[in-house]
Amino acid sequence: MDQQAAHPIDKRPFFWMLGILACMVVGVLAFRFAGEQRLHNTTVWQRFRPVTLVSPPQTATPVEVQDERRVAWVVVQTEKGLYFLTGAKYVPQAGSRVVVQTNERWELYLCAEDGGRCMSIHSFCADAVWPRLRRDDKGRMDDCYAPRALDTPLPEPSTVKPLTAVPGGVGRSKRLPPALGLSHPREWGWRMGLPIPSR
């Protein structure tokens, strides 16, 4: 009994566990904060990714707003077409003026005319008018563009070049050809009113 009183329980593992949990919480909050800054193209994010191109003002009319706990998006109609935005934190008022902004990495944002209250552009349909949207049997629409195509099929096996042997070394593979239909915003950003960048 006296020996137990002389040697108290070591609390260091408990404090280590608390420290690790605190670091994990801080890390998650930091990633979430960075994601919010990027999503809304805030002044903090623009310090790392400055705006390089801005479109002339357009008149915005929100035509669909979906704002639930885990799913949120906004569809905005302008004279250029339909903008599909990620999230629903900043919904432009009907008749308000908006501009399209992009940075050197071609991250696209629909912002208020003063450059604030930005939302990421998920996709864009040129000259489309809500709700008269024509979709094919797979749900796709003509003249619609996205910064990256998530549902683009992989190339056919016959178009993939096999491994080529390297004398005295291991085999190396040829780079896969780009997937069909995949395009860069630089090629269609002018449809949203962005100036064509100089080559």
Side-chain angles (χ1 to χ4, degrees):
M1 194 72 178
D2 294 337
Q3 290 181 349
Q4 289 181 352
H7 299 287
I9 297 175
D10 188 2
K11 297 181 179 179
R12 287 179 295 178
F14 176 73
F15 291 126
W16 271 104
M17 182 186 70
L18 286 181
I20 292 171
L21 289 176
C23 290
M24 291 175 62
V25 169
V26 169
V28 168
L29 293 177
F31 276 110
R32 183 173 180 180
F33 176 78
E36 287 288 318
Q37 303 307 300
R38 177 179 179 177
L39 181 67
H40 302 300
N41 199 32
T42 63
T43 54
V44 174
W45 183 252
Q46 289 182 29
R47 291 180 184 175
F48 302 99
R49 298 280 184 262
V51 174
T52 55
L53 296 174
V54 180
S55 74
Q58 305 170 34
T59 304
T61 303
V63 292
E64 184 177 33
V65 178
Q66 177 75 29
D67 188 6
E68 294 183 1
R69 184 170 178 263
R70 298 180 66 92
V71 179
W73 72 82
V74 176
V75 183
V76 175
Q77 176 82 64
T78 74
E79 54 267 32
K80 294 291 184 181
L82 287 174
Y83 294 90
F84 296 81
L85 310 180
T86 302
K89 184 173 182 179
Y90 298 131
V91 180
Q93 298 292 325
S96 62
R97 305 286 279 172
V98 295
V99 295
V100 177
Q101 292 183 354
T102 187
N103 54 33
E104 65 208 9
R105 296 186 60 146
W106 284 90
E107 294 168 330
L108 301 170
Y109 300 95
L110 189 69
C111 306
E113 188 174 11
D114 61 2
R117 301 186 305 283
C118 297
M119 290 297 300
S120 293
I121 297 174
H122 175 270
S123 53
F124 169 74
C125 294
D127 301 321
V129 178
W130 188 271
R132 299 192 299 273
L133 304 176
R134 295 186 301 276
R135 298 179 183 269
D136 62 13
D137 56 350
K138 294 183 179 179
R140 295 174 299 195
M141 295 180 285
D142 292 334
D143 294 326
C144 291
Y145 308 89
R148 54 196 176 108
L150 298 178
D151 60 344
T152 303
L154 292 174
E156 295 294 330
S158 60
T159 65
V160 179
K161 296 184 179 180
L163 294 175
T164 56
V166 179
V170 297
R172 60 181 174 85
S173 61
K174 297 276 188 179
R175 179 176 292 182
L176 293 178
L180 298 176
L182 189 65
S183 61
H184 194 278
R186 184 172 46 237
E187 300 174 15
W188 47 265
W190 60 271
R191 294 175 180 267
M192 297 186 291
L194 288 171
I196 299 176
S198 57
R199 298 283 179 183

